[in-house]
Amino acid sequence: MDIRDQHPDLAAWNALIERSLADPDSEPIENLGPDADEAVYDAVFVGGGAGGRFGAAYLRAMGGRPLILDAWPFLGGSCPHQACVPHHLFSEAAAELDRMRWFSDELWFPKFDPSRASIKEIVDLFLAGRGSAHAFMNWQTKEQLDVEYVLNARATVVDRTTVRAAGHTFRTRNLVLGIGARPVTPDVPGIGRHGVYDFVTLVEELDFEPTRCVVVGGSKVAMEYGSFFHATGCDTTIVSRSEVMRSSSLEHVDDDLRRYVVDGMRTRGMELLEGADLVAIEGTGDGPVTGVTVRLASGEQRTIAADMVFLGLGERPDTAALQETLGIEVGPTGRVRTNLRMQTGVPGVYAIGDLIGGPMEMWKARKSGVTAARNIMGEDLEFDYSRYPDFLHTTYEVSWVGLTEAEARAACDEVIIIQMPPYVEGLDTEHLPLPCAEGTMLYAFRRPELSGFQKLVVDGTTRKVLGAHHCGYGAKDAFQYLDHLIHRPEGLTIDELGWMNELFLNPEHFVQLSRLRAGKGRLTHL
Ligand code: NAP
Ligand code: COM
């Protein structure tokens, strides 16, 4: 379908995308210039997810000619379809449900009715609404960003300057690979049973209301989806081979922050089995899941009853075809090797997003796409993605940036901690309604121990902020800016932080707490 001279509105895009998704034989959606078959593009982006879309938009903005090819009938990739957007919907539901449970039959809150909290209903809510984000990405990329694309057509890379899709053969000076990654499935008995999901199949295939769940994994996906399931009333056990929040992919998680978060999950009734391995998924004959057998840290085996198993075991790209065609190099975890310009070892071939090393996060996907674009357009730009702010959800939003207290102590002579509740051992802080701000005010007055935790790690000699750690709500934005400030060459001192203008009651109390200490020539804990 040639839509170059059509200008579908959002509803028309939504309908076209839905029709295309429902029909495996639906035709490609072509938004191509009239000379596309003869043109030589500056870059063909294979994959129109966050990295490809942002890279192509940037390249176009710089005056280049990009083309995006994607097998899905929409741009934006897995984020709006199966990953970040549903995750945020589910995490918000988890936070709301948590509040409903703690305040059940108090104040104006009704008595909590667990039968009203349904995983399936929220998944269906997502499915019914996800098309609007898809429609917007297609509309914006065509009408506002002026980027050519072919969607709903699988691309075949012929060589480093030639790609085929939808019956066209496109020629390009550069190829930018952004084909993403897929959830890992372990090879254990019973893995094919009905009731086993990962974050992709949960939204695509869930067809019953789970009542008892085992989540396998100890990182973000496991913590986030496990917290959501449990908050709906589906009793959840997390089975993690490492300590949770200590998985190899998570860096700079402070011990006290972790303790607050993990204790909070246990207080809410979740079972967390650490140092435990998945042995088998149980059931009768070809029947659905009835339980999970795990090997505990003690070496003992235990079978946990469950009707759902959820896998949060990380993601791997599938690069076999690209390796064969292009000869690109792939590391031991399946990620394409690039330099900091996103160049693979093959001239003119770039790789971006979840396909390469580093965290599988939105900022890295988008900025790696932009880095490829800017290099293609003649800039000499390196993108170092080794230091970054990070976050996950439980029933809270948990954010962190920079060094943990332990890392700072290993690196500096004197480390100062500014913390809420305060850094005073033995103080009876269990009834202290601090920290509190948006999202935790009711907790502060009724359940003060649930109102969050925050810690600032400062170098006592240079007075520079080394790290910040937060559990509560609404602080994620601040962490984006803190990341920038503390990682500038000049860093951020406690004096500068204490002189910022707080919008009281600010979710992270770092500005005012720093101000209370900044007058001291020799800093002390707070
Ligand atoms: P992940 O961070 O890569 O962690 C994988 C988890 O699975 C770890 O706990 C790992 O344990 C465990 N694991 C891997 N293979 C295993 C096996 N064979 N047997 C038992 N355990 C195994 O994966 P993820 O949580 O699925 O997240 C995937 C990516 O999406 C990550 O890059 C993540 O940052 C990103 N993401 C981000 C957010 C966010 O909120 N910012 C949300 C979701 C996902 P070990 O540590 O022992 O290896
Ligand atoms: C975000 C997708 S959901 S994109 O990064 O805007 O393409």
Side-chain angles (χ1 to χ4, degrees), residues 48-50 53-54 76 79-80 85 137 362 366:
R53 201 172 88 86
F54 271 69
C79 166
V85 175
M137 306 284 163
M362 183 54 90
R366 290 172 170 168

Side-chain angles (χ1 to χ4, degrees), residues 1-4 28-32 149-151 165-168:
M1 170 189 288
D2 179 359
I3 48 123
R4 183 64 177 178
I29 301 167
E30 298 183 14
N31 170 38
L32 291 169
Y149 51 75
V150 178
L151 306 178
H168 299 270

Side-chain angles (χ1 to χ4, degrees), residues 87 217-221 224 241-242 247-249 312-315 360-361 391-392:
H87 144 205
S219 191
K220 291 177 180 174
V221 167
E224 289 168 342
R241 71 178 177 190
S242 310
S247 59
S248 46
S249 54
L313 298 175
E315 293 172 62
M360 291 183 174
E361 296 292 340
F391 77 98
L392 58 75

